Amino acid sequence: MNTDIKSILIKHGINPSFHRLKIFEYLRDTRQHPTVDTIYEDIAVEIPTLSKTTVYNTVRALAEKGLVSAITIEDTEVRYDADTSLHGHFKCTACGALYDIDMRQLSIGNALPTGKKVQGHLVTERHIYLKGICRECQR
C-alpha cells in the first residue's frame, strides 16, 4: 500500500481505511475517468467485501476534500478523476470514451482563474467539457 496515499488522506481529514486507500489508489492510477459502478466492478474482484455504497461514499468524500473531481458531462452519469490540475475533458459521442484535454491548446486556458474574480464573479470551480468524435472512431 502506498504510504503517500495514506498520508494524503490523513492530511485531508479522511480516515485511511483499507477500502478508501484502495479506491483512492485506483483513481490515482487510472486515466479512464471511471464511474462508481466501474470502480466497484474493478476493485471488488480483489476485495469481495467492498460495497457500492462504500465506493460512492468514498468518492463523494474525496471530491468534497478536493482530492478528485466529479465529472458530469451527461446528466445520467458521474465520472471521477484524480487529476485535479487544470484540464478539460472530451467525450466521444460515438464510443463514450472520455479523454483529458490540455487547456494550453485552448485559448481560454489561462483566462479561468480559480479564487479570482471574472467580471465581478468569484470563480470557485472550472469545468471545460467538449463533445464530438474521438480520433479512434474517426478512423
Side-chain angles (χ1 to χ4, degrees), residues 80-117:
Y80 294 91
D81 190 356
D83 179 358
T84 58
S85 67
L86 177 58
H87 67 282
H89 293 96
F90 177 91
K91 181 168 185 179
C92 180
T93 55
C95 69
L98 192 62
Y99 299 92
D100 289 336
I101 297 295
D102 185 346
M103 294 296 291
R104 293 174 294 194
Q105 294 179 349
L106 304 173
S107 61
I108 59 174
N110 292 328
L112 299 170
T114 297
K116 299 201 172 148
K117 290 189 178 185

Side-chain angles (χ1 to χ4, degrees), residues 74 90-97 131-138:
E74 306 287 340
F90 177 91
K91 181 168 185 179
C92 180
T93 55
C95 69
K131 291 183 183 179
I133 308 296
C134 73
R135 64 180 157 251
E136 295 301 316
C137 289
Q138 291 177 58

Side-chain angles (χ1 to χ4, degrees), residues 69 125 129:
S69 297
E125 294 182 33
Y129 301 137

